[in-house]
Amino acid sequence: MNVLGISAYYHDSAAALVKDGEIVAAAQEERFNRIKHYDQFPSQAAAYCLKEGGLALDDIDYIGFYDKPLLTFNRLLETYLAFAPRGLGSFVQAIPVWVKEKIFQKGLILKELKALGLGAIEEKQILFSHHHHSHAASAFYPSPFDSAAILVMDGVGEWATTTLGEGNGSEINLAKEIRFPHSLGMLYSAFTYYLGFAVNDGEYKVMGLAPYGEPKYTSLIYDNLIDVKDDFSFRLNMDYFNYCTGLTMTNTRFDALFGAPRHAPEAPLGQRQMDLAASIQTVTEEIVLKLVAALHRDTGQKNLCLAGGVALNCVANGRILREGPFENIWIQPAAGDAGASVGVALTIARTLGHAEKNPANGTSDAMKGTYLGPAYGGEEIRSVLVDHGASYNELNNNELLSDIAGYLAGGKVIGWFQGRMEFGPRALGNRSILADARSESLQRVLNLKIKYRESFRPFAPAVLAGDASQYFDLEEESPYMLLVAPVEKSRRKTVSDADNARIGLDKLNVVRSEIPAVTHVDYSARVQTVHEDTNPKLHSLIDAFKKLTDCPVLVNTSFNVRDEPIVCSPEDAYRCFMATEMDVLVLENFVLLKEDQ
Amino acid sequence: MTGSPGAAISKKILRNLKAPSGSNDTSLDIFEDRFQCRETGEDFGFVDSVPSLYGTLDADGVDVTGRVKSFYEENPFPNYEGLEEFGQLVQKGSQNPFSADLLGAIGYNKTILECGCGTGQLSHFLQLNNNYVLGIDMSLSSLKLAEEHRQRNQLQRSAFIQMNIFDLAIKDNSFDVAISHGVLHHTYDAKKAFGHIVQKLKPGGIIMVGLYNSYARIPTWIRSKLINLLGPKIDYVVRNRIVDERKAEIWIKDQYFNPHETWHSVDEVLGWFEEFGVAFRNCSPAILGTSGEGAENLFAKTEPGNSYQRAITQMSWIGSIAREGALFDVIGEKAGPA
C-alpha cells in the first residue's frame, strides 16, 4: 500500500511517502520554493516524493492529511465565543481565510493534487487524522520500541496542546490531553514574542540565549502566568495573553508584570532579556519533567517517544534523559508540524494497510537517519558548476577525505553537500557547514561572516558515535542533534575568576574547553552522534580529521544563512557558498576553493 | 595581515591601480603606510592611515570640490548606526530591495569600482558573492569609518582609497562594474565625472549612475525652505527609517544643507551615454510603458522608451522616490566585446 502524507495550511508544509509501511521519502516545501516556513500546499515536495518512489498519483492508495480542519475551525469559533466580544477583530480577520481554505479543504487538496499533473486521484482517497495523533504516530511508529509512552507537546493542534498516551505494536492510545488555550508551546512562544523574536522561528534563539542569564523571573511566572497541578496538568492565566482574542501573543498586563513593553526586534540584547530567557526555559524544563514523571506513573512504560514543536527543545530533552524516570527516549527528528506528514501516512499504512511495525530491534529506528530528501547526481552538479563558470576539481573518495580533513584542521570552513537532504529542522551532515571545533575564534566568524546571525548563538558538535562519551556526558545515541549534554569534565579548561565574573554576552569570549567552538557558556553542547551505518561519508571524514588532529569532533551547522531555508540543490549550495565567507565547497566529490573562483 | 590597511588591498584591486595623473603603464606596490610607483619610485603616503592617491584638483572645480569635501569631512555619509556588525549590515542589505537586486544583477567574481562610496556600506555589501570592490571617496573621515568596519570584521575583498573622481588613479578598461550612486550631482561637472568613470570600465562592462532627478527633487527643495521652521520630522526617512540620532542629523544635512547639488533628467543621462559610447540597459525606477517594468533584474536589457514616456515617468516620481532623496539610476553597457 502506498500512502502520501501531507502537512499544510498552518506552518511548515511538507509531504512524505510511505510504501508498504516503509518511509521512502519526506521533505519540506520551503526547501524547494526557498520560502521559509512556507505554509501552503507542498506541491514540489509531493512531486518529489512521488518521483523518489517511482510512482504516479494513480499508484497512491491514500492521501493522508495531518489535521482535522473542522475541529480546528470549531476551536476558533468556540474561542471567540468564550472571549466575545473581545476578539472580534482577530476573529473577523481569520474567518474568511478559514471558511475558504479550511472548511473546503478536501476539495482544495484534491485540486492541488490534480494540478501536479502526475496522475489521477479521487476525493474518497483523502483521509484526515487528528493533529496530535499524527504527531504521536510520527513519534512512536518509526521509533525503535515495540511499546512506549508518548508525549506530544506543541502550540496547539485542533484543540490539544499537550497529549499523553502510549503505543503498543500498531495501536496508539492517547489517554489524556490538555486543551487550548493552556499550552506550554504558546507560553514559550509568548516569551519569544516578548523578547522581540519571531514566533514559530525565534524559539531557538530564546533557548540559545537562556544560558547567559539567571532565572530571576521564575517565581513571577509561577505566581501569575501558569498554575501547575499535582496531576501533571497546568492552566495559563489568560489575563496576560492575547493569542485567543488578538493578533499578538502578550498584552499590556503582561508588559506591566515584567515591567516593560515588548523588546524591540533587532534591538541589542541585555542582561534583562537573558534573564527572561533563562526563566522561561527553566519553567519549561520543570513542567516537562513533571509531565514526564506523571506519564511514567500512569503508563509504567520504560520507553518514551516525543514529538510536537516543544520536543525540539533539546535542553529539556537532555534533562528528561538524565533526570527523568524513563530508561530510553526517542524523539522524532521532524518533531514540528512537517513531521506530522510522516505520522499520518504511517497511521494509514498501519491501520488500513496492516503494515508491520518497523523492524523494531530496540536500537535502530525507521527514519533512515532522516536522510529522506532528494540527492543529486554528478552530471547534474557538473552542469550547475559549468553554467556558473566555477573552477572545481573532481576527487576520488580517498583524496576527498584527506584533502577536506586537512582544510578543516587548517581552520577552513567547509560547505558539505552529500547524498539525500535531511528531513526536519536540523542539518545532519548532508547539507551542513563544517569546521574545526577546537578553534577559539570560529563561533564568532561563523555567526558573523557565514551565517550572518547574532553572535550569541551556539554551534553544535558532530562527534563519532564511538567517541561521544569521552567528550560529553552522554551514554545514549543522539543521531538527530536533539539532546543537549554537558561537555565531559576532563575536557573542560580552568576558567579564571575574572573570566567567571563576566556577565552577559561577554561570557562568549571565555575559552571553556578543548572544543570551545561548540561549548556553550554553561558547558552544554547540542550533540549529534555520527554513525557509520546512517552516514558513512561524514563518519569517514571525521575519522580522517581525528587521525590528523586526535579530535573526533567537528562543528556542524546548517548549510544556509540566517532567515533562509537550508539549501536543497547544488544551485542553492553554490549561491550560499558564494554569498558567504565559506572557504571550500564540497558537492559530492566536486571541490571548489573560494580563492580559485 | 588584515590589521593593516596596506596589505588589505587584494591583488585583484592593486593591479588595476596606477599613479595619480600617471600613465596606464605605471603600477603601484603597497607598503604599511604608502603606495610606491614601481616605475618612478614616487611615494604616495597614506593620510591619517587611510590609503590615499588623491592627485591634483582641476582648476575649474577647486571651489565646489573644496566646499563639498569639507562638508563630507564634517558629516561622513551615510554613517553607521552604532557599532554595526558585518552580519547586521548583510541582513540590512539583503532586506533592502535596491542593494539586494544590485548584488543579484552583478553576480559572482566581479571587480567593482564604487565612486563616492562614503562610509562604505554598499561596497562592503557588494563584496559578497566573491566580488572585489574598490570604494573611493574624497572624504577621509568617511573612509576611516569604512576602513574601521572592514578591519573590525576582517573583510578581505573590499578596499578603500582616497581619490579624486576627476583624476582617478585607476588604469583604463580595468573594472567589470562601476557604480556611482548619488554622488556626481555633488561634483562641479557631473557629465565630465561620468566620462572619467566610463574610461575605467572594461569594454562590455556595466555602469550604474544614480542622480537627483530634476522633477522628483522639487519637494525636497520646498522642504529645505521649511525645515528650519518645522524641524527634521518633515523628512520621511527621518520619520520612518533611521533610529540613530547622529545618523539622522547627517541625513538632514546631506539632503537639505549640501553646499552643492545639481539636478538631472533621464534624457540628459541618455545624452551622456551617447557621447561616451554606453548602450542603455535599464532604469530604476522603471520607465513606464517600457519593458523595464517587467525587467528580470536591474541590469537586464530593456528599452528606454520615448521622450513622452520618460516625461510622464519622471512626473510620477514626484509622488514616489521624492520622499527618499529623489534618486534615479540609469544602467548602461560600455561599447566593445563583453
Side-chain angles (χ1 to χ4, degrees):
Chain A
M1 174 188 275
N2 300 318
V3 187
L4 184 66
I6 300 284
S7 167
Y9 305 122
Y10 192 42
H11 37 77
D12 294 329
S13 57
L17 179 66
V18 170
K19 266 173 124 172
D20 299 324
E22 182 195 346
I23 307 164
V24 173
Q28 261 172 269
E29 186 70 3
E30 64 163 28
R31 304 292 177 87
F32 297 97
N33 68 11
R34 314 304 301 155
I35 302 170
K36 206 173 183 196
H37 300 307
Y38 185 77
D39 61 2
Q40 294 301 297
F41 191 82
S43 301
Q44 294 185 62
Y48 154 70
C49 286
L50 291 171
K51 186 177 152 213
E52 187 73 49
L55 302 175
L57 268 182
D58 312 75
D59 307 317
I60 295 291
D61 297 284
Y62 293 103
I63 302 290
F65 191 76
Y66 84 123
D67 183 285
K68 292 210 171 174
L70 274 175
L71 280 176
T72 315
F73 181 73
N74 236 355
R75 165 170 63 78
L76 274 195
L77 191 63
E78 287 186 31
T79 305
Y80 166 66
L81 292 175
F83 288 87
R86 260 164 55 199
L88 192 62
S90 69
F91 184 68
V92 167
Q93 198 166 333
I95 266 193
V97 181
W98 278 87
V99 169
K100 188 165 138 266
E101 284 189 0
K102 315 268 160 155
I103 308 242
F104 301 107
Q105 214 152 52
K106 209 166 186 175
L108 193 66
I109 294 167
L110 192 68
K111 200 176 116 209
E112 295 280 7
L113 285 167
K114 286 182 172 165
L116 294 176
L118 295 171
I121 193 95
E122 286 177 50
E123 189 168 317
K124 63 174 191 230
Q125 289 171 276
I126 303 175
L127 305 177
F128 293 82
S129 164
H130 282 287
H131 186 111
H132 271 215
H133 192 283
S134 301
H135 276 311
S138 80
F140 176 62
Y141 289 138
S143 78
F145 311 132
D146 282 323
S147 71
I150 304 171
L151 174 61
V152 177
M153 292 170 291
D154 66 1
V156 57
E158 293 105 2
W159 270 109
T161 66
T162 305
T163 306
L164 302 96
E166 59 188 308
N168 288 296
S170 275
E171 219 167 279
I172 288 176
N173 181 12
L174 299 177
K176 288 184 178 170
E177 66 178 30
I178 300 173
R179 289 190 144 206
F180 189 82
H182 308 293
S183 162
L184 206 48
M186 288 289 200
L187 178 66
Y188 206 88
S189 292
F191 276 86
T192 303
Y193 171 84
Y194 184 66
L195 288 169
F197 301 119
V199 171
N200 289 328
D201 187 54
E203 282 76 7
Y204 281 115
K205 301 183 187 179
V206 177
M207 193 169 69
L209 196 58
Y212 292 95
E214 296 297 325
K216 286 180 181 165
Y217 300 95
T218 46
S219 45
L220 205 58
I221 296 172
Y222 280 123
D223 291 348
N224 297 282
L225 299 184
I226 188 163
D227 180 21
V228 186
K229 306 267 198 307
D230 293 336
D231 72 337
F232 80 72
S233 71
F234 55 83
R235 293 185 67 79
L236 297 184
N237 183 348
M238 294 315 294
D239 291 349
Y240 291 95
F241 300 93
N242 202 27
Y243 57 79
C244 287
T245 52
L247 297 170
T248 58
M249 293 299 293
T250 56
N251 60 19
T252 48
R253 287 195 60 180
F254 192 99
D255 296 349
L257 183 64
F258 291 97
R262 182 192 183 205
H263 188 67
E266 301 292 329
L269 296 161
Q271 194 59 43
R272 174 184 149 78
Q273 286 73 41
M274 296 167 194
D275 292 343
L276 281 162
S279 306
I280 189 59
Q281 178 65 29
T282 304
V283 168
T284 302
E285 289 167 19
E286 287 173 2
I287 295 175
V288 169
L289 283 172
K290 279 188 186 165
L291 280 169
V292 165
L295 183 61
H296 184 257
R297 197 181 57 215
D298 290 354
T299 61
Q301 294 280 358
K302 63 180 174 59
N303 306 316
L304 172 66
C305 295
L306 292 167
V310 181
L312 293 172
N313 193 312
C314 39
V315 181
N317 295 343
R319 286 191 67 183
I320 296 176
L321 185 65
R322 284 190 302 278
E323 301 168 36
F326 287 97
E327 278 175 39
N328 307 299
I329 75 173
W330 189 84
I331 306 151
Q332 163 58 244
D337 279 359
S341 59
V342 169
V344 63
L346 285 173
T347 302
I348 294 169
R350 282 294 136 68
T351 50
L352 296 175
H354 307 291
E356 293 294 303
K357 173 140 172 55
N358 66 287
N361 52 20
T363 55
S364 67
D365 62 57
M367 286 299 288
K368 300 183 174 169
T370 201
Y371 305 111
L372 294 166
Y376 295 82
E379 286 322 300
E380 247 171 308
I381 294 170
R382 192 192 305 276
S383 87
V384 168
L385 296 179
V386 169
D387 278 356
H388 282 291
S391 148
Y392 62 88
N393 280 312
E394 191 177 2
L395 305 179
N396 68 35
N397 264 342
N398 285 337
E399 292 166 342
L400 180 79
L401 296 173
S402 76
D403 279 12
I404 302 303
Y407 291 138
L408 284 164
K412 298 228 185 290
V413 177
I414 317 287
W416 181 253
F417 180 104
Q418 301 290 340
R420 296 183 70 180
M421 181 176 71
E422 301 86 345
F423 181 53
R426 300 268 77 93
L428 299 168
N430 282 8
R431 301 290 185 277
S432 286
I433 296 170
L434 304 175
D436 187 348
R438 300 168 307 158
S439 166
E440 293 174 13
S441 57
L442 261 173
Q443 179 174 10
R444 191 183 136 80
V445 172
L446 279 171
N447 269 329
L448 297 183
K449 292 176 69 177
I450 292 171
K451 307 281 283 192
Y452 304 128
R453 63 185 202 182
E454 304 88 338
S455 60
F456 71 83
R457 298 186 58 188
F459 286 98
V463 57
L464 292 178
D467 294 329
S469 63
Q470 290 174 38
Y471 278 80
F472 306 98
D473 182 8
L474 180 74
E475 298 300 327
E476 295 74 8
E477 295 182 352
S478 178
Y480 302 122
M481 210 182 257
L482 283 168
L483 293 172
V484 162
V487 171
E488 177 60 34
K489 290 228 163 50
S490 62
R491 303 287 173 183
R492 296 186 189 179
K493 292 202 165 153
T494 327
V495 174
S496 70
D497 289 347
D499 279 343
N500 265 328
R502 292 184 193 226
I503 53 165
L505 291 182
D506 197 27
K507 289 181 181 178
L508 251 182
N509 301 319
V510 180
V511 175
R512 291 167 197 281
S513 78
E514 288 173 26
I515 42 172
V518 294
T519 306
H520 208 357
V521 293
D522 58 354
Y523 295 99
S524 67
R526 189 180 68 205
V527 181
Q528 177 196 3
T529 53
V530 178
H531 303 258
E532 198 166 3
D533 55 340
T534 49
N535 199 333
K537 206 161 182 178
L538 180 63
H539 194 272
S540 311
L541 177 67
I542 304 180
D543 211 36
F545 180 76
K546 183 186 171 186
K547 288 200 174 83
L548 276 182
T549 63
D550 212 28
C551 174
V553 187
L554 289 178
V555 177
N556 175 8
T557 183
S558 55
F559 198 149
N560 64 336
V561 300
R562 177 174 153 182
D563 296 337
E564 273 186 17
I566 296 173
V567 301
C568 177
S569 67
E571 173 73 29
D572 303 335
Y574 177 81
R575 280 169 185 272
C576 185
F577 168 66
M578 293 302 285
T580 65
E581 301 305 304
M582 251 178 267
D583 302 300
V584 181
L585 173 63
V586 185
L587 298 162
E588 295 293 343
N589 285 36
F590 296 86
V591 178
L592 286 76
L593 304 183
K594 183 63 73 51
E595 62 196 31
D596 293 348
Q597 303 305 310
Chain B
M1 285 306 291
T2 48
S4 68
I9 295 181
S10 70
K11 282 191 194 126
K12 287 195 182 182
I13 297 291
L14 195 61
R15 69 180 180 213
N16 290 350
L17 302 178
K18 66 179 180 88
S21 318
S23 87
N24 279 313
D25 303 327
T26 57
S27 46
L28 298 177
D29 288 319
I30 189 163
F31 299 94
E32 282 293 292
D33 56 350
R34 70 204 146 91
F35 291 101
Q36 190 179 59
C37 180
R38 209 174 291 162
E39 287 72 20
T40 65
E42 193 183 348
D43 277 335
F44 304 94
F46 295 177
V47 183
D48 264 359
S49 64
V50 175
S52 174
L53 293 167
Y54 194 58
T56 50
L57 286 179
D58 247 347
D60 311 340
V62 171
D63 171 51
V64 168
T65 310
R67 278 189 293 136
V68 171
K69 180 169 186 300
S70 49
F71 176 81
Y72 282 112
E73 290 295 5
E74 229 172 275
N75 305 290
F77 186 81
N79 218 319
Y80 292 81
E81 300 218 47
L83 190 74
E84 216 168 293
E85 298 271 19
F86 181 61
Q88 284 169 286
L89 186 148
V90 173
Q91 279 289 111
K92 276 195 203 165
S94 327
Q95 282 161 7
N96 177 316
F98 170 77
S99 49
D101 290 355
L102 179 57
L103 180 64
I106 289 172
Y108 307 104
N109 309 315
K110 300 289 193 296
T111 50
I112 303 168
L113 171 64
E114 191 192 2
C115 290
C117 64
T119 50
Q121 277 94 335
L122 188 62
S123 289
H124 285 312
F125 181 71
L126 296 179
Q127 62 94 54
L128 294 175
N129 285 4
N130 203 41
N131 296 317
Y132 287 78
V133 186
L134 171 62
I136 66 134
D137 205 284
M138 60 180 175
S139 159
L140 283 170
S141 62
S142 297
L143 292 172
K144 259 188 144 156
L145 290 178
E147 188 57 22
E148 208 176 278
H149 182 88
R150 193 191 66 74
Q151 290 188 27
R152 189 154 35 83
N153 293 286
Q154 298 172 14
L155 305 180
Q156 316 278 349
R157 296 186 306 272
S158 47
F160 299 93
I161 304 178
Q162 187 195 28
M163 282 192 205
N164 175 353
I165 287 190
F166 296 96
D167 184 11
L168 292 166
I170 295 168
K171 289 178 183 164
D172 293 350
N173 307 321
S174 61
F175 278 86
D176 297 318
V177 178
I179 291 163
S180 188
H181 182 67
V183 175
L184 302 188
H185 47 230
H186 296 308
T187 66
Y188 79 92
D189 187 340
K191 185 176 95 175
K192 190 172 172 188
F194 177 80
H196 280 283
I197 299 171
V198 171
Q199 237 177 3
K200 306 305 170 194
L201 206 55
K202 286 179 188 167
I206 300 287
I207 183 157
M208 182 173 99
V209 58
L211 298 161
Y212 286 150
N213 183 254
S214 330
Y215 299 68
R217 195 67 185 164
I218 294 168
T220 309
W221 179 79
I222 294 171
R223 281 195 297 270
S224 76
K225 302 295 161 208
L226 299 171
I227 196 157
N228 281 329
L229 194 68
L230 300 174
K233 287 281 174 195
I234 64 171
D235 185 273
Y236 173 86
V237 175
V238 167
R239 282 202 310 276
N240 295 289
R241 296 268 189 275
I242 301 178
V243 186
D244 191 85
E245 235 172 80
R246 171 74 178 142
K247 191 168 165 138
E249 186 191 323
I250 284 176
W251 169 262
I252 292 293
K253 285 216 168 132
D254 180 70
Q255 290 294 306
Y256 301 101
F257 300 96
N258 209 293
H260 177 82
E261 71 174 57
T262 50
W263 297 355
H264 305 271
S265 69
V266 177
D267 292 72
E268 185 189 350
V269 177
L270 292 178
W272 302 354
F273 276 26
E274 181 87 39
E275 188 173 337
F276 294 107
V278 174
F280 177 85
R281 276 274 186 114
N282 199 0
C283 182
S284 167
I287 296 163
L288 301 174
T290 71
S291 52
E293 287 190 278
E296 196 178 300
N297 71 50
L298 213 47
F299 291 179
K301 279 189 182 152
T302 67
E303 303 307 317
N306 57 39
S307 55
Y308 172 74
Q309 286 169 320
R310 291 192 292 269
I312 295 288
T313 301
Q314 293 176 89
M315 271 183 243
S316 80
W317 289 349
I318 297 174
S320 59
I321 58 171
R323 63 185 192 183
E324 288 189 71
L327 274 174
F328 71 109
D329 288 273
V330 192
I331 295 109
E333 178 185 334
K334 184 173 173 177

